[in-house]
Amino acid sequence: MISKRIMAVDYGDVRVGIAVSDPSLTLASPLITLKNNNKLIDSIVELTQEYDVEKIIVGYPLNLKGQEGFSTEKVDKFIRNLSSTGLQIESWDERFSSVTAVNLLHEAGIKFKKDKGRVDRSAAAIILQNYLDSR
């Protein structure tokens, strides 16, 4: 049975990484990096329509002890704004996703210093893959 897709968001102050699952909800792939500006929510809604997304997973920045910190307030506000669109939203622990993305890109020999957005969308794919694997 083919399902609608799931999207993941790695929210940042400047850039927002986006990843999407395949229709079988097995594999996550980096999709795009968006600028964090006043068009962000509209851009995400457009992507959900284009990719037939049923749910959005938002990376939730917990500290090493698993507790909320300063950056969780920003993500909470983003989730509230995104929820107002009627989309189904779920937060997911994003600890180490960016570090893992940097390490994997480095191991693959992919240069990303001039394209920092590559790390953001790769981190979103890691968040999404962790979510998919947990199901």
Side-chain angles (χ1 to χ4, degrees):
M1 179 176 129
I2 301 297
S3 300
K4 288 188 168 202
R5 296 173 193 248
I6 298 175
M7 178 182 285
V9 175
D10 181 37
Y11 182 83
D13 290 337
V14 177
R15 294 176 309 276
V16 177
I18 306 290
V20 69
S21 74
D22 64 328
S24 69
L25 306 179
T26 306
L27 295 173
S29 298
L31 181 62
I32 192 170
T33 304
L34 302 172
K35 290 181 182 177
N36 189 346
N37 59 28
N38 60 355
K39 297 178 184 178
L40 177 61
I41 299 293
D42 291 339
S43 297
I44 290 173
V45 169
E46 287 175 19
L47 288 170
T48 62
Q49 294 166 353
E50 181 179 346
Y51 287 90
D52 200 22
V53 170
E54 70 176 348
K55 180 190 287 188
I56 298 177
I57 305 303
V58 177
Y60 203 67
L62 300 173
N63 65 25
L64 293 177
K65 294 181 179 181
Q67 300 167 332
E68 294 182 6
F70 173 72
S71 55
T72 56
E73 292 175 25
K74 294 176 184 180
V75 174
D76 285 337
K77 181 179 178 187
F78 169 72
I79 289 172
R80 281 192 303 276
N81 291 337
L82 192 57
S83 294
S84 70
T85 65
L87 293 165
Q88 183 182 354
I89 313 293
E90 186 174 335
S91 62
W92 191 259
D93 184 354
E94 71 168 19
R95 281 180 285 180
F96 306 113
S97 61
S98 293
V99 172
T100 302
V102 167
N103 290 338
L104 289 174
L105 291 170
H106 181 71
E107 288 175 16
I110 298 171
K111 299 194 186 297
F112 53 87
K113 288 190 180 194
K114 293 183 181 177
D115 181 10
K116 294 181 181 179
R118 184 181 294 257
V119 174
D120 299 314
R121 57 186 176 267
S122 296
I126 290 166
I127 293 164
L128 182 54
Q129 191 63 57
N130 288 340
Y131 175 83
L132 295 173
D133 290 347
S134 76
R135 294 167 40 112

